[in-house]
Amino acid sequence: MLRTVAPPPRSPARPARAADPDRRRTSARTVLRCVLEHGPVARSTIARLTGLSPASVTDHCARLTELGLVREATAPRRSGGVGRPHLPLDLDGSGLVVGGVHVAVPYTTVALLDLRGRVVAERRLPHPDTDPLRVLERAAGGLADLLERVPERRPLGVGFASGGWVDRAAGTVVDHPLLGWREVPAREVLRARTGLPVHVDGHARALADAERLFGRAGGSALHLFAGNIVDAAFATRDEVHHGPRSQAGAIAHLPLVGGTERCPCGRTGCLQAELSERTLCRRAREAGVCDGRDPLHVVDAAAAGHPVAARLLRERARMVGRAVGLLTDVLNPESVIVTEIGVIHRPDCLAALRGELDPARAATVTPTSFPESVLAVAGGAVALDVLYRDPLSASPERI
Ligand SMILES: [Zn+2]
């Protein structure tokens, strides 16, 4: 017996093209991602790669060009025909930037990024105190100073990232124990101080977005961030997982086998207590390696041949490897990206990390794609993620 399917009810009040804005937005996103990944790229290639019609691609490219996001590359593509050569399209790197604010425990990093996630300008602002309002006001002032240096560029928006629990939807830092921040309305404060659209996220997720857009993460990816704060993010090709209230990736108190550090929660061997840069610095100070104020000093000491410094870094990398093993058992990602100071700077640390994993898994682990600018990229990536998800929302403004 044939089942009949009732036609959807007609809604005369609804305009016939009501679904078009969503489709336009999705298609514009697809075209911009294609230009990001393949540019310079011909319109005909974009049509082939995306499955959109040539007319639709031409239309979207025109709109994205108007917005200053793409432009025709200067060198014409080889063409056997006559008439106007087909100029391939590429991202427009000249006119637009996004601002980035990353708040770490000892300092804030402000930066301007171009559309490929490259750092145009950057400044580090030490914290005389960690009062949230003053930290965010100094950040807004730092961004304004950077924008004055590049008057030819227009800011599209600002991204804010930090460790701890950051709620993207609410725009708040819900809890950052090391800064002593609770329910800080970072989006509202920065928007009021900069006059720009502001987006916020946790820094592990922000860097997972940066890897997804500009770095190594091709398919599903785990990103592990081990700084003073230790957290993780999981991404597919198109999206980083947030979960309700953006609580995904809070791994500070996962138990680490072999851990010996007491955690403020009362237990021993919690992941953050074990892997925090504070712990590395304290151990380096106790071993007489350096004054223990900056983890980079431990890396410098190891580079200068200090055997204890190198051993401390390798031990930490091994524990990072155990954390990676724990998380990949659950998530089974195609790639693992690690932001950790030893793994970034030293091949022996990367080898120590990989040594904790089975060989097939070990081969998927790489350091961050942004070794020299990871904190500058983290803030801006929050704004760039929004831009690449909805390019038609781009509306250049001035601070
Ligand atoms: Zn704990």
Side-chain angles (χ1 to χ4, degrees):
M1 184 180 149
L2 288 174
R3 277 190 301 168
T4 55
V5 178
R10 293 178 71 87
S11 171
R14 203 174 173 195
R17 291 171 60 83
D20 280 358
D22 277 348
R23 198 160 58 231
R24 277 183 66 79
R25 199 171 291 130
T26 306
S27 300
R29 171 170 63 194
T30 305
V31 169
L32 188 63
R33 277 293 292 274
C34 188
V35 176
L36 169 67
E37 287 168 18
H38 301 282
V41 58
R43 290 175 180 77
S44 56
T45 309
I46 297 173
R48 180 168 53 76
L49 291 170
T50 61
L52 294 166
S53 73
S56 175
V57 168
T58 300
D59 184 32
H60 286 299
C61 289
R63 182 72 188 118
L64 295 173
T65 304
E66 272 174 28
L67 289 169
L69 299 171
V70 305
R71 66 176 174 187
E72 291 187 327
T74 46
R77 204 167 51 87
R78 275 203 305 274
S79 169
V82 292
R84 187 170 176 267
H86 287 287
L87 294 172
L89 289 164
D90 206 350
L91 291 180
D92 188 344
S94 61
L96 298 173
V97 285
V98 296
V101 174
H102 178 274
V103 178
V105 176
Y107 55 84
T108 293
T109 304
V110 292
L112 303 178
L113 269 57
D114 72 9
L115 300 182
R116 285 199 178 279
R118 295 174 299 209
V119 177
V120 174
E122 175 180 355
R123 183 188 285 180
R124 183 181 283 197
L125 309 169
H127 294 159
D129 63 81
T130 55
D131 174 80
L133 200 58
R134 284 195 288 272
V135 167
L136 295 171
E137 279 177 348
R138 280 193 294 270
L143 277 180
D145 289 345
L146 293 184
L147 282 164
E148 273 180 22
R149 291 194 216 161
V150 287
E152 72 284 5
R153 290 179 184 256
R154 292 170 298 162
L156 280 171
V158 176
F160 166 96
S162 77
W165 176 7
V166 182
D167 186 337
R168 177 174 68 167
T172 57
V173 179
V174 181
D175 189 22
H176 192 310
L178 295 185
L179 282 173
W181 288 17
R182 282 193 67 80
E183 301 289 355
V184 172
R187 182 172 64 203
E188 188 185 316
V189 173
L190 282 173
R191 186 186 284 161
R193 298 297 187 277
T194 64
L196 289 165
V198 177
H199 307 279
V200 313
D201 210 343
H203 63 194
R205 287 192 293 268
L207 286 166
D209 272 322
E211 295 285 351
R212 197 172 57 73
L213 291 167
F214 315 113
R216 298 195 177 99
S220 58
L222 166 73
H223 175 235
L224 178 65
F225 186 102
N228 279 313
I229 293 274
V230 181
D231 40 27
F234 181 68
T236 62
R237 182 183 181 278
D238 292 316
E239 195 75 44
V240 172
H241 180 62
H242 282 72
R245 289 213 72 193
S246 298
Q247 289 191 80
I251 54 169
H253 300 286
L254 281 184
L256 212 47
V257 173
T260 56
E261 284 292 316
R262 286 289 286 178
C263 179
C265 78
R267 287 175 294 185
T268 298
C270 288
L271 208 142
Q272 181 164 292
E274 198 63 35
L275 297 182
S276 171
E277 285 177 350
R278 288 183 165 193
T279 302
L280 173 71
C281 284
R282 197 204 71 233
R283 289 174 178 173
R285 190 169 56 241
E286 286 170 0
V289 169
C290 58
D291 63 9
R293 282 210 301 268
D294 186 333
L296 265 178
H297 296 167
V298 187
V299 175
D300 291 343
H306 200 306
V308 179
R311 180 173 57 75
L312 287 174
L313 289 167
R314 280 195 301 274
E315 281 172 2
R316 184 173 188 237
R318 267 195 288 278
M319 294 305 262
V320 172
R322 285 183 200 175
V324 168
L326 207 61
L327 296 168
T328 53
D329 279 350
V330 178
L331 296 166
N332 192 28
E334 288 164 70
S335 63
V336 180
I337 293 134
V338 175
T339 300
E340 190 272 336
I341 201 165
V343 171
I344 289 173
H345 290 96
R346 296 181 62 88
D348 63 335
C349 287
L350 182 58
L353 184 160
R354 287 175 167 163
E356 294 293 314
L357 301 165
D358 72 66
R361 176 65 73 199
T364 69
V365 180
T366 52
T368 172
S369 303
F370 317 100
E372 305 303 327
S373 56
V374 67
L375 301 182
V377 168
V382 179
L384 288 169
D385 166 54
V386 173
L387 173 70
Y388 279 97
R389 276 192 279 126
D390 187 8
L392 299 183
S393 69
S395 68
E397 299 171 46
R398 294 287 313 158
I399 271 185

